[in-house]
Amino acid sequence: MQPTGHLRGDAVRVGGDARQRFYDARGYGRPLDGNEIALSRVEAAHLLFRGDLSGIELGDDADPVNFERFFVASAAAADRFAVRFLVYSDLRDRGFYLSPAREPWPGGSDAPSDAVDFVAYERGQTPDTGKVEYPIQVVGERESVAAAGLAGRTLAVVDEESDITYFAAEAGGVEGATGYEPPVDLTGVLLADRVVVWDAPEGFYERGFYGRPLTGRAADVEGALQLSLVEAASLAADGRLELTASIGDGEGLAGDAAARIVARGRDVEGERFDRRLAVYARLRAADAVPKTGFKFGADFRTYLDVETVEDLPHSEHLVRVVGPDHEFSPRELSLDVRLAGGVRKEMVFALTGIGDGHPADGGTSTDADVEWLSVDRLTP
C-alpha cells in the first residue's frame, strides 16, 4: 500500500519509509527527522499523479484527497502552480531529478536568482550529489519576462495548450576578427536619413564593409558611398568623418559632425538611435562588422571575419537592441529566436540604458555600457 501525505503549511509530510523510497532513491523532497520527508506541493502532486501516494490529507481531520482535488486546491493556494507542475512533470519524464529553488529545499542554495522555480540536476544525479544542469524559470505564454538578469537561466514557456518550449539564455558578447582600420580623413554630406561620402577611399567598403556604393549599370560616378546614420555617427565620434554640407538643417555646419549626425538620428528615430549607436560602436570595437538587420526584423546582423566583400562569409548573429528594463513577451522571444535559427544565426539581445535619456552635453553615447544576452532553443 502506498503512503499518505499530510499537508502542513505549504509542504506535504510523508512518513514510513519515505526517505529511502522517495528522497534517497529518486530525489524527491527534503529529509526531516527519522525517515520522514517534506515535499513541495508540486513534488507531492507529481507523486500523487503517478500513484506513488495513496492520497493527501489537507487538514488534521480531513480524509485524504485524490490528485484532482489536491491539484485544484494547490492551484488556488500557490502562484502559477499549474504551469510549474507541467514543467516539473515534463522534466521528470525526461529523466531529471529536480528540487524547488528555494530554502529549505536542497535547490535553494543552488538557485542563481529568486526568479528560478526549479533546479534540474545532471541526469542520474540526486540533489545530494548532482551538479545543476538547468536553473528553470517557468512562465506562461501571456506572462512577461525581464531581460535583465535572464542570463544563466533556462526559460520554460508553457503555452495555452500546455506545450512547453525551452530556451537557454547565456551572457557573453560578440567578438570578431575583422582587421580593418578606417581612414581618418573622410568627408560627407548629411542628408535627411543618411550620409553620402563622394570620394570613399579604396577598401572602405570592400574591406571594412562600411556603407553601400551608389552604383548601377549606367553609372558614371565612382567612389560614392551611402552611410547609414549610425555608421556615420560612429565614424564621426572617432574623428574619422567630417561634414561638408548638411541638407535640411537651418543651422548650417555649426557644431561638430558627430553631434549633428546624432541629432539627425534622434530626429528620425527618437531615443532608440542612441541605443543602436552605442551597440554599433561596441560591435565595431570588438572587430565585428554590424550591418542592418532590417530584413530579419532585427537591428543588426553581424559578420565576424570580413576579408573582402567579394568573398563575404555568412553573418553569424542577429542583434536586437533593448533597454535594461525591457520585458519580453514569450511570444516575441519565441518569434525572434525561431527566425534567427531559421536563417542559421544566433539571436543576441543588447541591453543598454543610454537611450533612457540623451547625454546632457549632446554627446554621441558610443561608450555606453552594454549587456549581451544570447537566447537559443533548447531540448533538455
Side-chain angles (χ1 to χ4, degrees):
M1 182 176 178
Q2 306 295 8
T4 298
H6 307 270
L7 182 64
R8 298 290 184 270
D10 202 35
V12 174
R13 296 192 173 205
V14 184
D17 62 350
R19 175 164 183 157
Q20 293 86 351
R21 182 189 296 206
F22 298 128
Y23 178 77
D24 292 342
R26 295 153 65 188
Y28 284 93
R30 58 185 174 88
L32 301 174
D33 293 335
N35 287 325
E36 190 178 26
I37 64 169
L39 301 167
S40 69
R41 283 182 180 267
V42 168
E43 291 175 308
H46 188 249
L47 288 171
L48 195 57
F49 180 76
R50 289 172 46 89
D52 291 329
L53 292 176
S54 62
I56 295 177
E57 296 179 0
L58 301 182
D60 292 336
D61 300 322
D63 293 330
V65 300
N66 60 12
F67 172 78
E68 177 183 342
R69 288 189 58 189
F70 181 72
F71 186 92
V72 171
S74 294
D79 182 44
R80 298 179 301 112
F81 175 82
V83 292
R84 290 190 295 112
F85 173 80
L86 290 169
V87 172
Y88 183 91
S89 298
D90 181 67
L91 290 170
R92 275 282 180 176
D93 289 346
R94 293 172 185 262
F96 291 98
Y97 289 173
L98 297 89
S99 292
R102 67 178 190 275
E103 298 290 355
W105 269 262
S109 58
D110 294 323
S113 164
D114 291 342
V116 173
D117 293 279
F118 306 109
V119 292
Y121 301 95
E122 293 176 336
R123 278 191 175 89
Q125 299 298 310
T126 67
D128 280 340
T129 62
K131 177 183 176 183
V132 173
E133 182 81 3
Y134 302 114
I136 309 292
Q137 179 178 349
V138 181
V139 296
E141 72 165 88
R142 296 180 181 88
E143 298 180 61
S144 60
V145 181
L150 188 59
R153 303 180 206 161
T154 298
L155 199 63
V157 180
V158 183
D159 68 21
E160 65 180 1
E161 294 185 350
S162 299
D163 284 334
I164 304 168
T165 303
Y166 295 94
F167 298 95
E170 301 293 342
V174 177
E175 296 292 334
T178 301
Y180 177 78
E181 188 76 12
V184 296
D185 55 354
L186 297 167
T187 59
V189 176
L190 175 61
L191 304 181
D193 62 350
R194 64 203 64 222
V195 170
V196 176
V197 175
W198 293 111
D199 53 353
E202 184 179 355
F204 187 53
Y205 170 74
E206 293 80 3
R207 287 279 293 109
F209 204 9
Y210 280 93
R212 184 179 181 88
L214 277 170
T215 59
R217 292 182 180 179
D220 192 31
V221 176
E222 295 182 0
L225 199 71
Q226 297 181 87
L227 296 173
S228 71
L229 289 177
V230 74
E231 288 176 308
S234 179
L235 288 164
D238 289 341
R240 301 178 185 275
L241 173 67
E242 294 295 335
L243 297 177
T244 59
S246 181
I247 305 303
D249 190 318
E251 300 177 11
L253 293 176
D256 64 35
R260 300 191 67 75
I261 298 169
V262 168
R264 183 63 55 84
R266 292 170 182 165
D267 286 343
V268 301
E269 196 173 333
E271 65 182 23
R272 182 170 167 270
F273 181 81
D274 288 80
R275 287 198 180 102
R276 293 204 309 121
L277 175 56
V279 172
Y280 178 92
R282 282 301 187 89
L283 289 168
R284 279 288 184 179
D287 294 330
V289 177
K291 300 296 285 184
T292 179
F294 173 79
K295 292 181 180 179
F296 306 102
D299 289 289
F300 303 110
R301 67 190 194 277
T302 65
Y303 299 87
L304 299 186
D305 190 2
V306 176
E307 293 186 2
T308 173
V309 172
E310 282 72 23
D311 189 23
L312 198 63
H314 183 74
S315 61
E316 292 88 350
H317 304 89
L318 293 182
V319 180
R320 191 149 77 84
V321 182
V322 297
D325 56 351
H326 180 75
E327 293 194 352
F328 298 111
S329 75
R331 186 184 300 271
E332 164 196 31
L333 188 64
S334 180
L335 179 63
D336 284 339
V337 174
R338 174 71 75 175
L339 190 151
V343 293
R344 296 177 296 149
K345 304 182 197 307
E346 181 181 346
M347 191 69 222
V348 176
F349 298 92
L351 284 64
T352 178
I354 193 65
D356 294 333
H358 301 153
D361 60 357
T364 57
S365 314
T366 57
D367 59 349
D369 289 336
V370 177
E371 177 184 345
W372 303 96
L373 177 67
S374 172
V375 183
D376 199 2
R377 289 282 299 271
L378 172 71
T379 302

